[in-house]
Amino acid sequence: MSSQPPPPVTDAVDPAVVERLVVPDEPSITFPGFTKEAFSILERLRARPHIEQYQADKPAIRAHLKRPFTSYRDDLVVNAVLPNGLRLETERNVFSRLLKNDFGAGGCHHHMWMSFYRPARTRLTDLQLAHSIRPSGFRIAVIARRAALQTFTHALDAHQDRSARVLDVINGQLAEAEGGFYIRSRAGEQTDFTEPIDVMPEDFASAASFGLYRFIPSRDVVRLGGGLLREALLSMKQLWPYYNLLLASD
């Protein structure tokens, strides 16, 4: 069950000036973990992506997805945002919605995600250090989206201005067993890179989005229980240099 939200950060700093994220070796964890049922719910929504299925599963969605995810969010604040003094919005509109905003058509997503964001921005307009649960597993990722044009342009500039450093950081993450870098085209097709790359792909500058990520399969998420929080903190620490490099141009 989620604890009360922690107090606001005092003497906070912009994440762009924090070069190294510090996370505790023994984090304080209230997050109970995601159960197998959480992934079964998302599978059902993928098979039948409509509000009728959402309504049928609404109590289970609250119990197995929303409540645990809120507790996960609270633990990230306690163990990462507060200790590093980050100036980030952690409460207001940080979670996505399962129901689509499709003008009453009744569509439904089969994944949930959350991302903190800097003041004067939003979850959708800032560079995202995102945490998402989907039928296949859990992903922690740094994502730049063309839909958030200002931050996307700054992220592209960082790749050009600091190309050698950016490639070093990307390749360092690709050396991890479950790390990856992806580019999604404007047509929605995604190309994943799981081995070190020498240069950025030719279509990179015209991508609809790109990101560096760590993926944890659903079976491992269930096995980890609340320990997923520890893995997420370590992933944030690993991804931070890339996040920081992209923010530094903004």
Side-chain angles (χ1 to χ4, degrees), residues 170-245:
I170 289 175
N171 287 334
Q173 181 65 18
L174 293 183
E176 298 294 323
E178 293 173 333
F181 180 77
Y182 80 87
I183 297 172
R184 181 169 290 140
S185 72
R186 295 197 189 199
E189 297 178 356
Q190 182 169 311
T191 303
D192 285 85
F193 301 85
T194 56
E195 299 292 336
I197 54 180
D198 295 327
V199 295
M200 296 305 297
E202 291 183 1
D203 57 350
F204 171 71
S206 62
S209 64
F210 59 86
L212 188 65
Y213 66 89
R214 161 109 186 267
F215 178 73
I216 304 173
S218 58
R219 64 181 181 277
D220 294 332
V221 173
V222 174
R223 175 182 56 80
L224 283 165
L228 176 66
L229 194 281
R230 185 177 291 103
E231 294 297 316
L233 290 170
L234 292 175
S235 296
M236 289 176 65
K237 183 178 179 179
Q238 292 169 337
L239 292 168
W240 191 264
Y242 185 64
Y243 179 67
N244 185 266
L245 277 170

Side-chain angles (χ1 to χ4, degrees), residues 2 12 27 41 48 53 81 98 113 151 155 165 171 187 190 193 201-202:
S2 172
I41 292 166
R48 192 183 181 212
Q53 185 62 49
V81 177
L98 281 171
W113 64 280
T151 55
R165 174 61 179 147
N171 287 334
Q190 182 169 311
F193 301 85
E202 291 183 1

Side-chain angles (χ1 to χ4, degrees), residues 1 25 28 61 117 141 147 157 164 171 176 209 232:
M1 196 67 66
D25 292 332
S28 173
I61 289 170
Y117 56 89
D157 289 345
N171 287 334
E176 298 294 323
S209 64

Side-chain angles (χ1 to χ4, degrees), residues 26-65:
E26 295 296 333
S28 173
I29 300 177
T30 64
F31 168 61
F34 290 111
T35 64
K36 187 176 180 180
E37 177 61 13
F39 295 99
S40 296
I41 292 166
L42 295 174
E43 286 283 8
R44 291 194 292 271
L45 291 175
R46 177 161 61 180
R48 192 183 181 212
H50 198 270
I51 190 172
E52 293 177 355
Q53 185 62 49
Y54 174 89
Q55 293 293 352
D57 272 323
K58 192 171 183 179
I61 289 170
R62 186 180 300 113
H64 294 278
L65 288 169

Side-chain angles (χ1 to χ4, degrees), residues 124-200:
L124 295 176
T125 61
D126 203 359
L127 181 70
Q128 295 166 0
L129 182 50
H131 307 251
S132 64
I133 183 169
R134 56 197 66 230
S136 56
F138 198 85
R139 189 175 75 171
I140 302 98
V142 177
I143 303 171
R145 301 167 59 252
R146 189 173 292 275
L149 188 58
Q150 182 178 11
T151 55
F152 186 84
T153 300
H154 286 306
L156 287 176
D157 289 345
H159 275 263
Q160 180 175 358
D161 297 341
R162 303 172 179 84
S163 57
R165 174 61 179 147
V166 169
L167 277 173
D168 282 346
V169 169
I170 289 175
N171 287 334
Q173 181 65 18
L174 293 183
E176 298 294 323
E178 293 173 333
F181 180 77
Y182 80 87
I183 297 172
R184 181 169 290 140
S185 72
R186 295 197 189 199
E189 297 178 356
Q190 182 169 311
T191 303
D192 285 85
F193 301 85
T194 56
E195 299 292 336
I197 54 180
D198 295 327
V199 295
M200 296 305 297

